[in-house]
PDB file of all heavy atoms in Angstrom:
ATOM      1  N   GLY I 344     -28.083 159.549 -93.302  1.00 70.00           N
ATOM      2  CA  GLY I 344     -27.944 160.991 -93.355  1.00 70.00           C
ATOM      3  C   GLY I 344     -27.383 161.547 -94.643  1.00 70.00           C
ATOM      4  O   GLY I 344     -26.734 160.858 -95.430  1.00 70.00           O
ATOM      5  N   LEU I 345     -27.642 162.810 -94.853  1.00 74.00           N
ATOM      6  CA  LEU I 345     -27.154 163.496 -96.043  1.00 74.00           C
ATOM      7  C   LEU I 345     -25.769 164.046 -95.783  1.00 74.00           C
ATOM      8  O   LEU I 345     -25.377 164.285 -94.649  1.00 74.00           O
ATOM      9  CB  LEU I 345     -28.086 164.652 -96.381  1.00 74.00           C
ATOM     10  CG  LEU I 345     -29.475 164.230 -96.828  1.00 74.00           C
ATOM     11  CD1 LEU I 345     -30.376 165.436 -96.919  1.00 74.00           C
ATOM     12  CD2 LEU I 345     -29.402 163.503 -98.146  1.00 74.00           C
ATOM     13  N   PHE I 346     -25.021 164.235 -96.869  1.00 79.00           N
ATOM     14  CA  PHE I 346     -23.722 164.872 -96.697  1.00 79.00           C
ATOM     15  C   PHE I 346     -23.357 165.658 -97.942  1.00 79.00           C
ATOM     16  O   PHE I 346     -23.817 165.360 -99.042  1.00 79.00           O
ATOM     17  CB  PHE I 346     -22.632 163.867 -96.349  1.00 79.00           C
ATOM     18  CG  PHE I 346     -22.588 162.652 -97.226  1.00 79.00           C
ATOM     19  CD1 PHE I 346     -21.863 162.657 -98.399  1.00 79.00           C
ATOM     20  CD2 PHE I 346     -23.275 161.490 -96.862  1.00 79.00           C
ATOM     21  CE1 PHE I 346     -21.807 161.531 -99.198  1.00 79.00           C
ATOM     22  CE2 PHE I 346     -23.234 160.368 -97.666  1.00 79.00           C
ATOM     23  CZ  PHE I 346     -22.502 160.386 -98.834  1.00 79.00           C
ATOM     24  N   ALA I 347     -22.552 166.687 -97.744  1.00 77.00           N
ATOM     25  CA  ALA I 347     -22.137 167.559 -98.839  1.00 77.00           C
ATOM     26  C   ALA I 347     -21.050 166.866 -99.659  1.00 77.00           C
ATOM     27  O   ALA I 347     -20.427 165.923 -99.183  1.00 77.00           O
ATOM     28  CB  ALA I 347     -21.618 168.869 -98.265  1.00 77.00           C
ATOM     29  N   PRO I 348     -20.827 167.350-100.896  1.00 79.00           N
ATOM     30  CA  PRO I 348     -19.798 166.699-101.722  1.00 79.00           C
ATOM     31  C   PRO I 348     -18.404 166.792-101.107  1.00 79.00           C
ATOM     32  O   PRO I 348     -17.569 165.930-101.354  1.00 79.00           O
ATOM     33  CB  PRO I 348     -19.868 167.429-103.054  1.00 79.00           C
ATOM     34  CG  PRO I 348     -20.731 168.602-102.836  1.00 79.00           C
ATOM     35  CD  PRO I 348     -21.577 168.350-101.653  1.00 79.00           C
ATOM     36  N   ILE I 349     -18.138 167.831-100.339  1.00 84.00           N
ATOM     37  CA  ILE I 349     -16.854 167.912 -99.642  1.00 84.00           C
ATOM     38  C   ILE I 349     -17.115 167.583 -98.186  1.00 84.00           C
ATOM     39  O   ILE I 349     -17.617 168.409 -97.428  1.00 84.00           O
ATOM     40  CB  ILE I 349     -16.243 169.330 -99.740  1.00 84.00           C
ATOM     41  CG1 ILE I 349     -16.091 169.765-101.188  1.00 84.00           C
ATOM     42  CG2 ILE I 349     -14.917 169.400 -98.993  1.00 84.00           C
ATOM     43  CD1 ILE I 349     -15.043 169.020-101.960  1.00 84.00           C
ATOM     44  N   SER I 350     -16.807 166.332 -97.795  1.00 87.00           N
ATOM     45  CA  SER I 350     -17.060 165.919 -96.410  1.00 87.00           C
ATOM     46  C   SER I 350     -16.294 164.626 -96.167  1.00 87.00           C
ATOM     47  O   SER I 350     -15.811 163.996 -97.100  1.00 87.00           O
ATOM     48  CB  SER I 350     -18.556 165.679 -96.194  1.00 87.00           C
ATOM     49  OG  SER I 350     -18.989 164.640 -97.034  1.00 87.00           O
ATOM     50  N   ARG I 351     -16.198 164.240 -94.904  1.00 90.00           N
ATOM     51  CA  ARG I 351     -15.549 162.978 -94.557  1.00 90.00           C
ATOM     52  C   ARG I 351     -16.263 161.827 -95.260  1.00 90.00           C
ATOM     53  O   ARG I 351     -15.621 160.920 -95.802  1.00 90.00           O
ATOM     54  CB  ARG I 351     -15.603 162.808 -93.028  1.00 90.00           C
ATOM     55  CG  ARG I 351     -15.040 161.508 -92.491  1.00 90.00           C
ATOM     56  CD  ARG I 351     -13.550 161.559 -92.207  1.00 90.00           C
ATOM     57  NE  ARG I 351     -13.175 162.480 -91.157  1.00 90.00           N
ATOM     58  CZ  ARG I 351     -13.006 162.150 -89.875  1.00 90.00           C
ATOM     59  NH1 ARG I 351     -13.208 160.926 -89.465  1.00 90.00           N
ATOM     60  NH2 ARG I 351     -12.626 163.051 -88.997  1.00 90.00           N
ATOM     61  N   GLU I 352     -17.606 161.887 -95.274  1.00 88.00           N
ATOM     62  CA  GLU I 352     -18.357 160.813 -95.932  1.00 88.00           C
ATOM     63  C   GLU I 352     -17.951 160.677 -97.388  1.00 88.00           C
ATOM     64  O   GLU I 352     -17.706 159.575 -97.891  1.00 88.00           O
ATOM     65  CB  GLU I 352     -19.867 161.082 -95.874  1.00 88.00           C
ATOM     66  CG  GLU I 352     -20.485 160.963 -94.506  1.00 88.00           C
ATOM     67  CD  GLU I 352     -20.559 162.310 -93.814  1.00 88.00           C
ATOM     68  OE1 GLU I 352     -19.619 163.104 -93.973  1.00 88.00           O
ATOM     69  OE2 GLU I 352     -21.557 162.563 -93.116  1.00 88.00           O
ATOM     70  N   SER I 353     -17.865 161.824 -98.064  1.00 88.00           N
ATOM     71  CA  SER I 353     -17.528 161.774 -99.491  1.00 88.00           C
ATOM     72  C   SER I 353     -16.141 161.192 -99.702  1.00 88.00           C
ATOM     73  O   SER I 353     -15.917 160.412-100.634  1.00 88.00           O
ATOM     74  CB  SER I 353     -17.581 163.172-100.096  1.00 88.00           C
ATOM     75  OG  SER I 353     -18.898 163.619-100.112  1.00 88.00           O
ATOM     76  N   ALA I 354     -15.208 161.590 -98.826  1.00 91.00           N
ATOM     77  CA  ALA I 354     -13.853 161.068 -98.958  1.00 91.00           C
ATOM     78  C   ALA I 354     -13.870 159.547 -98.801  1.00 91.00           C
ATOM     79  O   ALA I 354     -13.204 158.822 -99.542  1.00 91.00           O
ATOM     80  CB  ALA I 354     -12.931 161.693 -97.921  1.00 91.00           C
ATOM     81  N   LEU I 355     -14.672 159.049 -97.843  1.00 92.00           N
ATOM     82  CA  LEU I 355     -14.735 157.610 -97.624  1.00 92.00           C
ATOM     83  C   LEU I 355     -15.455 156.908 -98.775  1.00 92.00           C
ATOM     84  O   LEU I 355     -15.097 155.789 -99.150  1.00 92.00           O
ATOM     85  CB  LEU I 355     -15.419 157.312 -96.283  1.00 92.00           C
ATOM     86  CG  LEU I 355     -14.564 157.678 -95.063  1.00 92.00           C
ATOM     87  CD1 LEU I 355     -15.366 157.600 -93.784  1.00 92.00           C
ATOM     88  CD2 LEU I 355     -13.348 156.765 -94.965  1.00 92.00           C
ATOM     89  N   VAL I 356     -16.463 157.592 -99.347  1.00 91.00           N
ATOM     90  CA  VAL I 356     -17.142 157.012-100.508  1.00 91.00           C
ATOM     91  C   VAL I 356     -16.150 156.883-101.662  1.00 91.00           C
ATOM     92  O   VAL I 356     -16.069 155.849-102.332  1.00 91.00           O
ATOM     93  CB  VAL I 356     -18.352 157.882-100.926  1.00 91.00           C
ATOM     94  CG1 VAL I 356     -18.843 157.485-102.310  1.00 91.00           C
ATOM     95  CG2 VAL I 356     -19.475 157.740 -99.918  1.00 91.00           C
ATOM     96  N   LEU I 357     -15.359 157.935-101.871  1.00 92.00           N
ATOM     97  CA  LEU I 357     -14.375 157.909-102.947  1.00 92.00           C
ATOM     98  C   LEU I 357     -13.349 156.795-102.693  1.00 92.00           C
ATOM     99  O   LEU I 357     -12.962 156.070-103.607  1.00 92.00           O
ATOM    100  CB  LEU I 357     -13.683 159.273-103.033  1.00 92.00           C
ATOM    101  CG  LEU I 357     -12.981 159.593-104.343  1.00 92.00           C
ATOM    102  CD1 LEU I 357     -13.930 159.400-105.511  1.00 92.00           C
ATOM    103  CD2 LEU I 357     -12.471 161.026-104.330  1.00 92.00           C
ATOM    104  N   ASN I 358     -12.923 156.680-101.439  1.00 94.00           N
ATOM    105  CA  ASN I 358     -12.018 155.599-101.055  1.00 94.00           C
ATOM    106  C   ASN I 358     -12.610 154.251-101.455  1.00 94.00           C
ATOM    107  O   ASN I 358     -11.940 153.409-102.037  1.00 94.00           O
ATOM    108  CB  ASN I 358     -11.777 155.696 -99.529  1.00 94.00           C
ATOM    109  CG  ASN I 358     -11.581 154.362 -98.841  1.00 94.00           C
ATOM    110  OD1 ASN I 358     -12.383 153.448 -98.985  1.00 94.00           O
ATOM    111  ND2 ASN I 358     -10.514 154.262 -98.063  1.00 94.00           N
ATOM    112  N   ASN I 359     -13.916 154.089-101.163  1.00 95.00           N
ATOM    113  CA  ASN I 359     -14.574 152.829-101.472  1.00 95.00           C
ATOM    114  C   ASN I 359     -14.690 152.582-102.964  1.00 95.00           C
ATOM    115  O   ASN I 359     -14.501 151.465-103.439  1.00 95.00           O
ATOM    116  CB  ASN I 359     -15.967 152.797-100.838  1.00 95.00           C
ATOM    117  CG  ASN I 359     -15.944 152.114 -99.501  1.00 95.00           C
ATOM    118  OD1 ASN I 359     -16.505 151.042 -99.352  1.00 95.00           O
ATOM    119  ND2 ASN I 359     -15.258 152.706 -98.540  1.00 95.00           N
ATOM    120  N   ILE I 360     -15.008 153.652-103.696  1.00 93.00           N
ATOM    121  CA  ILE I 360     -15.126 153.494-105.149  1.00 93.00           C
ATOM    122  C   ILE I 360     -13.779 153.053-105.724  1.00 93.00           C
ATOM    123  O   ILE I 360     -13.701 152.137-106.541  1.00 93.00           O
ATOM    124  CB  ILE I 360     -15.568 154.820-105.798  1.00 93.00           C
ATOM    125  CG1 ILE I 360     -16.965 155.201-105.318  1.00 93.00           C
ATOM    126  CG2 ILE I 360     -15.549 154.715-107.305  1.00 93.00           C
ATOM    127  CD1 ILE I 360     -17.347 156.615-105.684  1.00 93.00           C
ATOM    128  N   LEU I 361     -12.713 153.713-105.269  1.00 95.00           N
ATOM    129  CA  LEU I 361     -11.391 153.389-105.800  1.00 95.00           C
ATOM    130  C   LEU I 361     -10.968 151.978-105.408  1.00 95.00           C
ATOM    131  O   LEU I 361     -10.454 151.217-106.236  1.00 95.00           O
ATOM    132  CB  LEU I 361     -10.366 154.415-105.314  1.00 95.00           C
ATOM    133  CG  LEU I 361     -10.496 155.785-105.971  1.00 95.00           C
ATOM    134  CD1 LEU I 361      -9.709 156.843-105.222  1.00 95.00           C
ATOM    135  CD2 LEU I 361     -10.039 155.734-107.424  1.00 95.00           C
ATOM    136  N   LEU I 362     -11.199 151.616-104.147  1.00 96.00           N
ATOM    137  CA  LEU I 362     -10.827 150.260-103.714  1.00 96.00           C
ATOM    138  C   LEU I 362     -11.629 149.207-104.474  1.00 96.00           C
ATOM    139  O   LEU I 362     -11.092 148.177-104.891  1.00 96.00           O
ATOM    140  CB  LEU I 362     -11.049 150.099-102.208  1.00 96.00           C
ATOM    141  CG  LEU I 362      -9.948 150.641-101.300  1.00 96.00           C
ATOM    142  CD1 LEU I 362     -10.395 150.588 -99.844  1.00 96.00           C
ATOM    143  CD2 LEU I 362      -8.664 149.851-101.473  1.00 96.00           C
ATOM    144  N   ALA I 363     -12.932 149.486-104.665  1.00 95.00           N
ATOM    145  CA  ALA I 363     -13.773 148.519-105.373  1.00 95.00           C
ATOM    146  C   ALA I 363     -13.328 148.402-106.830  1.00 95.00           C
ATOM    147  O   ALA I 363     -13.241 147.295-107.381  1.00 95.00           O
ATOM    148  CB  ALA I 363     -15.240 148.930-105.287  1.00 95.00           C
ATOM    149  N   ALA I 364     -13.020 149.545-107.452  1.00 94.00           N
ATOM    150  CA  ALA I 364     -12.573 149.508-108.849  1.00 94.00           C
ATOM    151  C   ALA I 364     -11.241 148.770-108.953  1.00 94.00           C
ATOM    152  O   ALA I 364     -11.029 147.963-109.865  1.00 94.00           O
ATOM    153  CB  ALA I 364     -12.448 150.926-109.401  1.00 94.00           C
ATOM    154  N   ALA I 365     -10.348 149.018-107.987  1.00 95.00           N
ATOM    155  CA  ALA I 365      -9.046 148.349-108.006  1.00 95.00           C
ATOM    156  C   ALA I 365      -9.229 146.839-107.844  1.00 95.00           C
ATOM    157  O   ALA I 365      -8.590 146.039-108.529  1.00 95.00           O
ATOM    158  CB  ALA I 365      -8.154 148.898-106.894  1.00 95.00           C
ATOM    159  N   THR I 366     -10.143 146.440-106.934  1.00 96.00           N
ATOM    160  CA  THR I 366     -10.409 145.013-106.754  1.00 96.00           C
ATOM    161  C   THR I 366     -10.928 144.410-108.054  1.00 96.00           C
ATOM    162  O   THR I 366     -10.554 143.293-108.429  1.00 96.00           O
ATOM    163  CB  THR I 366     -11.457 144.791-105.649  1.00 96.00           C
ATOM    164  OG1 THR I 366     -11.114 145.595-104.532  1.00 96.00           O
ATOM    165  CG2 THR I 366     -11.509 143.349-105.227  1.00 96.00           C
ATOM    166  N   THR I 367     -11.799 145.167-108.737  1.00 93.00           N
ATOM    167  CA  THR I 367     -12.359 144.665-109.989  1.00 93.00           C
ATOM    168  C   THR I 367     -11.264 144.440-111.029  1.00 93.00           C
ATOM    169  O   THR I 367     -11.271 143.438-111.745  1.00 93.00           O
ATOM    170  CB  THR I 367     -13.406 145.648-110.540  1.00 93.00           C
ATOM    171  OG1 THR I 367     -14.258 146.024-109.470  1.00 93.00           O
ATOM    172  CG2 THR I 367     -14.208 145.025-111.642  1.00 93.00           C
ATOM    173  N   THR I 368     -10.297 145.359-111.096  1.00 94.00           N
ATOM    174  CA  THR I 368      -9.230 145.151-112.084  1.00 94.00           C
ATOM    175  C   THR I 368      -8.406 143.914-111.722  1.00 94.00           C
ATOM    176  O   THR I 368      -8.026 143.152-112.598  1.00 94.00           O
ATOM    177  CB  THR I 368      -8.287 146.362-112.187  1.00 94.00           C
ATOM    178  OG1 THR I 368      -7.659 146.588-110.933  1.00 94.00           O
ATOM    179  CG2 THR I 368      -9.005 147.608-112.623  1.00 94.00           C
ATOM    180  N   VAL I 369      -8.169 143.722-110.417  1.00 94.00           N
ATOM    181  CA  VAL I 369      -7.416 142.526-110.017  1.00 94.00           C
ATOM    182  C   VAL I 369      -8.209 141.268-110.370  1.00 94.00           C
ATOM    183  O   VAL I 369      -7.672 140.286-110.894  1.00 94.00           O
ATOM    184  CB  VAL I 369      -7.080 142.555-108.509  1.00 94.00           C
ATOM    185  CG1 VAL I 369      -6.357 141.282-108.099  1.00 94.00           C
ATOM    186  CG2 VAL I 369      -6.213 143.751-108.182  1.00 94.00           C
ATOM    187  N   LEU I 370      -9.517 141.332-110.098  1.00 94.00           N
ATOM    188  CA  LEU I 370     -10.380 140.190-110.407  1.00 94.00           C
ATOM    189  C   LEU I 370     -10.349 139.888-111.902  1.00 94.00           C
ATOM    190  O   LEU I 370     -10.198 138.731-112.316  1.00 94.00           O
ATOM    191  CB  LEU I 370     -11.814 140.494-109.954  1.00 94.00           C
ATOM    192  CG  LEU I 370     -12.839 139.395-110.207  1.00 94.00           C
ATOM    193  CD1 LEU I 370     -12.568 138.195-109.319  1.00 94.00           C
ATOM    194  CD2 LEU I 370     -14.256 139.894-109.976  1.00 94.00           C
TER     195      LEU I 370
END
Side-chain angles (χ1 to χ4, degrees):
Chain I
L345 293 171
F346 49 87
I349 304 291
S350 62
R351 177 88 65 95
E352 290 94 323
S353 292
L355 289 170
V356 166
L357 200 53
N358 147 308
N359 265 248
I360 296 168
L361 288 166
L362 279 172
T366 314
T367 314
T368 61
V369 177
L370 180 69

